[in-house]
Each structure stands twice: as structure tokens, then as C-alpha cells.
Amino acid sequence: ASSSSSSSSFSFTHQWKYDVFLSFRSEDTRNGFTTNLYYALDHRGIHTFIDNNLPRGEKISDELLKTIKSSMISIIVFSENYASSAWCLDELAEIVECKNNGMLVRPVFYKVDPSEVRSQKGKFGEALAKHEEKFKDDKIVQRWREALHEAANISGWHYYERCTEFEFIQRIVEEISNSKSNWMPLFVAKYPVGINSHVEEIKSLLDIESNDVRMVGIYGLGGVGKSTIAKAIYNRISNHFEGNFFLENVRESERKEGIIKLQETLLFEFSRDRNLKVCNTSRGTNMINESLCRKRILIILDDVDKLDQVEKLLGKCDRFAFGSRIIITTRDKHLLATLGATFGNSSSTYEVDGLDECEAIELFSEHAFGKNKPDEDYLKLTNQVIHYAKGLPLALGIMGADLCGRTKLEWKNTLAKYEKIPNRGIQEILKISYQGLDETERDIFLDIACFFKGHHMNNVVDILEACDFYPKCGIPRLIEKCLVTLSQNNALKMHDLVQQMGREIVRQESPQNPGERSRLWYYKDVLEVLTENK
């Protein structure tokens, strides 16, 4: 499904004030377990809030509510008299509400049975009965009951004196440390313009509430924002999973370091064992398979360009734990179609389109002027940039940064240069898709870029077949690679910057001598070659 974007920016990272918020019954555990846990977390560099004898009334303060909401993780220490405190129960209800909005919550059952908390029996049942008599408000106590039930169903730690408190606390600290590193939000973009609507549509495709295993493939032209959107999705939904993994730039990482290094990176995210080594890819795939079945995970493979990468990094898709989600970003639609055959109805694809005009102006202006709209006397020049970039975020960002702080004369000169010689940063990103083509596919691409953009596909196929370029399979391949599209009347379309990239490849064959280039399309070059007999 294609989508238009919202022009409003959206914040995809959260600035936490505390790593951990501790909720506990003071008279039960302050002078022992909870204080020891606090110091152990603090010693590990985990910024933890503990309410050191705050004045307590019937209701928790607004300041404490803000503290809960500004904490990444909450640890609830359920002890014998926890439910006798209305303050603790108010804290708990607030924490459970924050959990539904993204907070990680982990309970500790300190010398109490989880079932007693869940079903509100024993001391917990007695305490709630007293609250019902005191408050005479069923809604308040019902909220506490629901919060207790929900919190007790969360995976946590149960201490029942089979180990020392020291060992028990060290286990909690280790897991919280791992959770903290997994939960650190990814940097999305300096100016995340137009991302929010994409995120919402992809969230709908992921349907994270369902318990099946689902895969969503995000595809589109290079520089259109696939990776940026994937990072924003990661930040938005990662808290719903037991494990979260974003493997960035798979294509480039495999080229530089090899697939085994990527397997080791992924396995470290599962195990946190820095000494773990993979001796061969087959063994690595099996090790990953064993890890995948243990937890409900979110895994994102960014910038994949070969099916083999997915197979070696994820193994058999039927080994994922129920409720897991896989997101893959790629420039290759066919790769996703092949994967879709494995996942069946549990897979879907999402095409990322460029920004609309309002979003493009906002993004460019943020880079060029440091605000969301251009200066009045630069409006005409800004519109030239918007027309040139055709909604491609990569181009808008690079050009905005390049033109920032420059005079109008410099803008005019730079834009004139862009028309003849494309920006190298934009060129290199777009060229990656071209480099993934075989020889005849490259010839077809360059011919379309130089001559056949806007022509009816059937006519182009007839011409290219005479050149033995096999266009009936080659043109669909270019479409799958997001280099070419078809209009409703079957005409070949191409983004202006992609066309410019193709023509620049030809120009670079002989920058100073057009006669030595493989293709000529500019009438002055043709005239020069014909008149000078070059």
C-alpha cells in the first residue's frame, strides 16, 4: 500500500529522566531488599528513582506522577503489606497505565506468591476488602484490582529464599541492564517530517495485538526514507516485545564484514555473550533459530538486497515465537514477494512514496533556514529546489544543508550546477540500485534514462528486443528495483533524480568528449559530434 505522509513532525524518541522507578511498601522492604536493589542498580550506572521518605498523603503527588511517567522502566516490589497502602496501589495503577503507553514494567514477588497477587487472596484480598469499606467508591478499588491482576501476569522475578538476596538482586540488575540497552530509542532523524502517517499505516499492517508471526516489507526508491520510517516504528512499538533488534545497513555490513559478523551481532543481542563466536554460516543460522523460538521478538533487517541475507540471518520462519514481528526494508520488491510466499497471509508489503509539496518545503526549510518555512525573499528559489527534488527526502536534506547560509547569488549558481552536474551525495545513494543490476538490465536502464522516459512500454520493448537486451524480463526487474514505474496508460516513468543519475553515469564515460560516450541525448552534444565528425 502506498501512503501520503502527514506534514506535521512527530517526536519518535523519548527523553527519560530516570532509567528505573521503584515502587515498594516502605515498612516491608525499605531497610533491606529495596535499598540493596537501589544501590546495586545505581552501581551499574542505572539511574534509579527511590522515594526517600517523601511526605505521604491519601493520594500520590503530581510531582511523583511526573516522575513515574518520565521513567523508562518500573520495578514493582510486591511484598506482604504492599496492598494495604493506598499510596502503593495508586502508584501501581499509574504504572500499569504507563505500561500501556510504552513503559517496561517488571514485578518482583518478594516473599509472596504471584497467584496471591493475581487473584487477590490472602493478605492482598484482606487489604482490598478494607479499602472497599473505607473508600465506598467501587471505581477506585476496582482500578487497583485490575492493576494488581495485570501486573501479576507480567513476567518478573519470584524470591522465595532458594538463593541469597545478593544473587537474586544481581540477576535483576543484569536483566534490567540488558533491557535498558535494548530499550534505548534509535535516533530517527534531525527533522522527522512526514513520517507519522507511514508509521501508523505500517503499525496497522503489523497488528501487534494478534498472536501470529507477521512480516512487513517496506520498499521504495533509495533515499525515500525507508530506514528512517523503520527506526520510528521500532521506537514506537519495541516495548511490546521481549526482545528488540534493529540490524542496520545489512547490504553494506555484509559487503564489508561478511554475513558471519552479522550473525554474531544478532546472537549477541539475544545472549549478551561477547565471547560468542560463529564458525560457519550454517551453524550461525541454527544458533539464531534456537534463540528465535524463546521470546516474542521484534526484528528489523534494514537495507536488505539479497534473499540469502534474510535466510542466513533469520533461518526458518516457522521457528519464531508466537507474536513476533519481522520488518525488512529493501529497494527490491521482488525479494519481498519471494519472502511473502514463505509467510503467506501473514506477510504484507508497504511502498514508501516521496513527500508531498508541503512536507518537502518544511523539510528543506528546516535544513536550509533552521525553521519550517522559507524566508520570503527565497521563496522562488526554494520552489526551484522543491521542483528539482520531487519529494525525495535525501535530496531535500543534502541540498538544504548545502545551501544553508548562502547568498541568493550562490543559490542561483548552485541550482544551475545541479541541473548539469548532480550532487555527488545524492548520486551515490541512488546509484546503489543501478549497481545491483546485471549488464543487460543496466543497458535498459540507461536507455530509458537517456531516451525512453514517457514512452509507451510496448514500443520500448520492441526497440530493445532488437538490441538483444531481453526487455520483457529486464523492465519488470527495473520496476521491482523501484528505478522505473508505469503510468496508467503503460508509459515508462522515472523519478527526475534517477533519470539524472543514469545520464550522469553516461556522461562520466567521457566527461570532456561526448563522442566517446555510449549514448547522446542532448542536442548540442549530438551537433558537436556530427559537425566535428567525432
Side-chain angles (χ1 to χ4, degrees):
S2 297
S3 167
S4 63
S5 306
S6 162
S7 63
S8 61
S9 299
F10 187 90
S11 175
F12 293 97
T13 58
H14 194 119
Q15 297 301 313
W16 308 111
K17 187 175 180 182
Y18 294 97
D19 297 325
V20 173
F21 178 90
L22 288 176
S23 175
F24 62 99
R25 184 72 168 108
S26 182
E27 67 182 48
D28 284 354
T29 63
R30 179 184 294 279
N31 294 326
F33 175 79
T34 298
T35 297
N36 292 336
L37 174 61
Y38 167 79
Y39 282 120
L41 290 165
D42 186 63
H43 182 72
R44 192 66 171 266
I46 298 168
H47 189 36
T48 303
F49 177 84
I50 185 169
D51 64 341
N52 284 316
N53 297 314
L54 288 176
R56 294 184 176 236
E58 288 294 330
K59 290 186 177 181
I60 59 177
S61 66
D62 289 341
E63 195 61 37
L64 194 60
L65 285 175
K66 286 180 187 176
T67 302
I68 293 170
K69 289 175 181 177
S70 62
S71 300
M72 184 193 302
I73 303 166
S74 275
I75 298 177
I76 307 158
V77 182
F78 287 120
S79 56
E80 187 178 36
N81 296 300
Y82 186 92
S84 65
S85 166
W87 177 289
C88 286
L89 293 172
D90 264 343
E91 263 186 7
L92 173 68
E94 195 63 37
I95 287 167
V96 168
E97 200 170 298
C98 289
K99 169 186 172 288
N100 297 328
N101 290 321
M103 176 187 278
L104 177 61
V105 177
R106 298 296 300 274
V108 174
F109 302 97
Y110 184 75
K111 298 182 181 178
V112 295
D113 195 296
S115 64
E116 196 173 296
V117 182
R118 190 179 305 115
S119 57
Q120 287 126 52
K121 294 178 179 176
K123 288 283 185 82
F124 281 78
E126 293 169 13
L128 287 163
K130 288 179 181 177
H131 288 312
E132 284 172 333
E133 288 177 19
K134 179 180 178 181
F135 287 101
K136 307 296 183 186
D137 186 341
D138 291 343
K139 289 182 180 178
I140 292 175
V141 180
Q142 184 57 32
R143 182 178 182 235
W144 293 343
R145 285 188 181 277
E146 289 170 2
L148 282 165
H149 181 79
E150 185 169 344
N153 277 317
I154 301 169
S155 173
W157 304 276
H158 185 193
Y159 178 71
Y160 39 87
E161 297 182 338
R162 288 188 183 174
C163 64
T164 65
E165 277 195 15
F166 175 80
E167 292 170 323
F168 183 65
I169 285 171
Q170 290 308 305
R171 184 154 61 90
I172 294 172
V173 171
E174 190 64 35
E175 290 191 37
I176 291 296
S177 179
N178 290 342
S179 295
K180 179 190 169 185
S181 58
N182 278 342
W183 275 54
M184 289 298 289
L186 302 173
F187 175 75
V188 174
K190 188 176 181 180
Y191 307 113
V193 176
I195 294 174
N196 194 33
S197 63
H198 289 302
V199 172
E200 290 303 321
E201 290 197 36
I202 295 168
K203 268 185 70 182
S204 177
L205 294 174
L206 288 166
D207 190 13
I208 56 178
E209 299 303 322
S210 68
N211 203 35
D212 56 355
V213 176
R214 296 201 174 198
M215 186 275 286
V216 172
I218 303 172
Y219 71 97
L221 181 65
V224 80
K226 302 177 296 295
S227 300
T228 303
I229 291 165
K231 290 173 185 175
I233 293 165
Y234 177 92
N235 287 350
R236 187 79 70 87
I237 69 171
S238 59
N239 58 289
H240 293 274
F241 300 87
E242 296 173 276
N244 321 299
F245 315 107
F246 189 101
L247 207 54
E248 193 167 16
N249 212 346
V250 170
R251 174 190 54 80
E252 185 70 10
S253 296
E254 186 199 22
R255 186 181 69 81
K256 286 183 176 178
E257 301 178 313
I259 199 71
I260 287 179
K261 180 65 176 176
L262 284 172
Q263 288 180 325
E264 289 176 345
T265 300
L266 199 54
L267 285 165
F268 169 72
E269 294 291 344
F270 286 116
S271 66
R272 294 285 152 181
D273 182 358
R274 295 191 182 277
N275 297 317
L276 189 148
K277 295 293 177 186
V278 174
C279 56
N280 59 63
T281 54
S282 298
R283 178 70 60 83
T285 303
N286 282 338
M287 292 166 73
I288 290 168
N289 271 162
E290 288 300 312
S291 300
L292 290 176
C293 64
R294 296 174 190 163
K295 292 180 178 180
R296 183 175 188 260
I297 65 162
L298 167 67
I299 184 165
I300 299 178
L301 301 183
D302 170 55
D303 194 19
V304 170
D305 69 338
K306 291 183 286 190
L307 185 65
D308 181 63
Q309 294 161 346
V310 181
E311 291 172 344
K312 288 176 178 173
L313 290 171
L314 299 185
K316 291 184 178 180
C317 298
D318 59 0
R319 297 299 298 275
F320 283 91
F322 288 122
S324 293
R325 295 292 181 269
I326 303 99
I327 297 174
I328 292 169
T329 74
T330 182
R331 303 178 187 212
D332 190 343
K333 187 178 179 181
H334 180 69
L335 183 150
L336 298 177
T338 307
L339 282 172
T342 304
F343 281 91
N345 293 333
S346 294
S347 75
S348 51
T349 60
Y350 183 88
E351 181 178 10
V352 180
D353 295 329
L355 301 176
D356 65 30
E357 186 174 335
C358 290
E359 294 164 347
I361 291 170
E362 181 181 347
L363 180 60
F364 174 74
S365 298
E366 291 285 8
H367 285 280
F369 303 104
K371 56 185 181 179
N372 63 6
K373 60 183 180 180
D375 291 344
E376 286 292 328
D377 53 339
Y378 280 80
L379 271 176
K380 189 175 178 180
L381 290 168
T382 296
N383 286 332
Q384 283 183 243
V385 174
I386 301 308
H387 177 76
Y388 175 81
K390 292 289 192 298
L392 193 69
L394 167 77
L396 292 162
I398 289 176
M399 293 170 70
D402 190 23
L403 294 168
C404 180
R406 300 192 187 279
T407 65
K408 288 168 74 174
L409 187 62
E410 287 175 304
W411 274 54
K412 290 175 183 177
N413 204 243
T414 302
L415 291 175
K417 179 182 175 184
Y418 281 153
E419 292 291 344
K420 294 284 181 68
I421 304 170
N423 177 278
R424 185 179 297 177
I426 300 170
Q427 179 89 351
E428 290 306 312
I429 296 295
L430 294 176
K431 198 173 175 182
I432 290 167
S433 296
Y434 169 81
Q435 292 166 335
L437 303 174
D438 67 24
E439 186 177 345
T440 58
E441 290 164 355
R442 289 185 180 190
D443 280 327
I444 293 169
F445 170 76
L446 293 177
D447 280 346
I448 294 172
C450 294
F451 310 120
F452 299 129
K453 179 182 173 183
H455 290 244
H456 196 279
M457 185 167 111
N458 291 346
N459 297 336
V460 176
V461 166
D462 289 341
I463 295 169
L464 295 179
E465 276 195 321
C467 302
D468 290 330
F469 286 167
Y470 309 101
K472 288 179 181 176
C473 62
I475 291 177
R477 186 72 184 127
L478 298 183
I479 293 171
E480 290 165 356
K481 287 277 193 179
C482 303
L483 290 168
V484 171
T485 58
L486 286 177
S487 69
Q488 288 185 333
N489 62 358
N490 229 29
L492 293 168
K493 296 171 63 182
M494 183 180 281
H495 192 287
D496 287 358
L497 290 177
V498 174
Q499 180 183 34
Q500 191 181 34
M501 177 266 291
R503 290 181 168 186
E504 179 64 11
I505 288 170
V506 175
R507 192 186 74 85
Q508 287 295 330
E509 293 170 354
S510 180
Q512 305 303 323
N513 189 350
E516 293 183 5
R517 298 174 196 163
S518 60
R519 295 160 178 83
L520 295 175
W521 62 91
Y522 185 47
Y523 78 94
K524 286 188 177 179
D525 290 338
V526 175
L527 185 63
E528 178 185 333
V529 171
L530 291 176
T531 54
E532 296 185 20
N533 197 29
K534 292 185 178 179

